[in-house]
Amino acid sequence: MVTLNDVAKLANVSKMTASRVINHPEQVTDELKQLVFKAMKELNYQPNFAAKALAANTTRIIKLIILEKVDTVEPYYATLLMGVAQFLNSHQYALQVVTQKNAGIGDCDGYIITGARRDDFEWINELNRPTILFGENRHQYDFVDSDNKYGTFLATSAAINDGYEHIIFFGIDLKESFEYSRERGYMDTMQKAGREPQIVRFSNHSSQSQNYIQEHWQSFEKNTCFICSSDRLAIGVERGIQHMNGQIPEEFGITGFDGVFLDQISEPKLTTVKQPVMEMGSKIAELLLKKITWALPLDEDHHPNRTNRIEVVFSPELIRRQTTRNYHLN
């Protein structure tokens, strides 16, 4: 039977290095990985991860907990799940999706949590495994997110440059960090341009923004652009304007936020602030595995425990489509 020692000898590395390539590839160079993986292939060596996990008192299971009340097949979460799963699969970890606060059922090595709200943090504090959040927060938890403030700066600046005289922000009615940041990006940009901000908030449902447009149609002047905090709200705005026979984008412009599928199925297609959700999913999985490594007892290299907070912020991109002027600029 081929052993790890055989792989290490063929690759001309130590057994400890070969083990690290297999169990923690993020800690070694690409050159070392190529040497060890080549030796494994030549020897047809198949690591027994289940046995290793049992011996190390680990599970090789990561739980992704979705605390928002949404369908997990919703495009945004499907894309996020794909990014997380692809990275974990490449590192021999299984992903378990949990959609309510029952994470204590069955053990795991760590948690990825998305959709956390203020009243969730007391429960999150009780989790006894490495944890990282998808979404900025003010509770000192490690997180990955897109730059929400910068995203609405991009959208609002574009609306100003496109010549829209009136620019209204349709926000999500949540007292959460990401929403504060999106509103702040809009507010700061409007104030610097000498414009009067106007904010209306809804729950994140297209029907609510559509109904609002139709019920308040007479109050909206032509040459208005709606900066929306989600693609869902933006699609509702689009439907409302169409129902009232408004012209898009000549009379009314619309910009969404997310850029995951919904922006592409609207008609006309939606201008949006696109988040790199797949890449963010991959990064949050990578960072959680590092946290799991840091939480382990010190190894032969005396790997130190990490104490600084992790905050990884991705830059979103404004994708111009047919609901704003100058969409040909993309």
Side-chain angles (χ1 to χ4, degrees):
M1 180 180 294
V2 178
T3 66
L4 185 60
N5 275 328
D6 298 324
V7 172
K9 288 179 182 178
L10 183 58
N12 197 28
V13 298
S14 68
K15 180 180 178 182
M16 185 178 71
T17 297
S19 175
R20 181 152 297 173
V21 168
I22 295 170
N23 295 295
H24 302 289
E26 70 280 359
Q27 297 181 6
V28 298
T29 65
D30 290 339
E31 182 181 3
L32 282 175
K33 282 188 279 192
Q34 289 175 4
L35 288 171
V36 173
F37 290 153
K38 181 181 178 182
M40 290 171 60
K41 185 175 181 180
E42 289 184 15
L43 296 172
N44 195 27
Y45 176 74
Q46 301 293 329
N48 189 336
F49 289 106
K52 289 180 180 293
L54 183 63
N57 195 29
T58 62
T59 66
R60 300 199 77 83
I61 295 172
I62 300 300
K63 289 190 179 184
L64 191 154
I65 305 173
I66 301 176
L67 296 178
E68 283 187 287
K69 294 180 180 180
V70 297
D71 192 332
T72 55
V73 300
E74 197 269 348
Y76 188 93
Y77 280 104
T79 305
L80 175 66
L81 285 169
M82 185 62 69
V84 172
Q86 285 183 351
F87 188 88
L88 293 180
N89 288 343
S90 69
H91 290 74
Q92 294 80 44
Y93 275 82
L95 176 64
Q96 179 182 352
V97 179
V98 180
T99 56
Q100 55 185 326
K101 295 179 185 179
N102 65 350
I105 300 175
D107 202 1
C108 66
D109 292 343
Y111 299 98
I112 296 171
I113 299 177
T114 182
R117 303 297 183 237
R118 287 186 301 172
D119 58 355
D120 293 318
F121 284 94
E122 182 177 352
W123 169 78
I124 292 172
N125 287 336
E126 298 174 357
L127 298 176
N128 60 351
R129 292 288 185 271
T131 300
I132 188 165
L133 271 58
F134 184 74
E136 60 179 293
N137 65 92
R138 301 181 180 183
H139 299 267
Q140 300 305 306
Y141 275 92
D142 298 336
F143 73 85
V144 172
D145 203 347
S146 62
D147 191 334
N148 292 293
K149 181 179 177 181
Y150 178 64
T152 47
F153 157 76
L154 290 176
T156 309
S157 298
I160 292 171
N161 292 334
D162 287 348
Y164 288 105
E165 185 177 356
H166 311 284
I167 302 174
I168 304 173
F169 186 85
F170 275 21
I172 301 172
D173 191 15
L174 287 172
K175 296 179 179 179
E176 301 296 340
S177 296
F178 80 90
E179 182 61 26
Y180 291 144
S181 295
R182 293 181 188 182
E183 292 189 12
R184 177 52 56 190
Y186 162 78
M187 292 279 291
D188 287 354
T189 309
M190 291 288 283
Q191 289 169 354
K192 288 178 181 178
R195 302 288 193 97
E196 185 69 27
Q198 181 180 346
I199 296 178
V200 185
R201 300 181 182 91
F202 314 87
S203 61
N204 192 23
H205 297 287
S206 60
S207 59
Q208 292 207 5
S209 54
Q210 178 178 350
N211 291 339
Y212 187 88
I213 290 290
Q214 294 172 196
E215 292 168 4
H216 296 81
W217 181 246
Q218 298 303 322
S219 66
F220 299 124
E221 299 184 51
K222 293 180 180 179
N223 204 20
T224 293
C225 187
F226 298 92
I227 307 297
C228 300
S229 193
S230 74
D231 288 343
R232 285 190 179 277
L233 292 181
I235 286 178
V237 172
E238 182 180 65
R239 290 171 179 166
I241 294 172
Q242 290 172 328
H243 182 81
M244 303 306 294
N245 297 317
Q247 298 300 307
I248 303 171
E250 296 81 9
E251 296 176 344
F252 298 96
I254 313 162
T255 298
F257 201 117
D258 286 334
V260 182
F261 185 67
L262 294 179
D263 57 305
Q264 300 177 51
I265 63 172
S266 62
E267 185 57 44
K269 289 184 171 54
L270 186 66
T271 292
T272 190
V273 176
K274 182 178 179 61
Q275 302 183 75
V277 179
M278 181 81 77
E279 292 84 351
M280 290 194 290
S282 178
K283 174 58 70 173
I284 201 169
E286 175 189 346
L287 293 174
L288 181 61
L289 295 195
K290 287 183 178 180
K291 288 193 66 172
I292 291 169
T293 300
W294 292 327
L296 294 173
L298 297 180
D299 58 20
E300 298 93 327
D301 293 335
H302 302 289
H303 185 81
N305 289 326
R306 192 272 319 172
T307 57
N308 296 328
R309 186 186 186 195
I310 297 173
E311 299 181 11
V312 177
V313 178
F314 285 73
S315 292
E317 177 186 6
L318 180 67
I319 305 297
R320 286 181 175 271
R321 293 201 178 93
Q322 297 166 335
T323 58
T324 53
R325 298 168 185 159
N326 298 320
Y327 60 87
H328 61 279
L329 292 179
N330 241 27

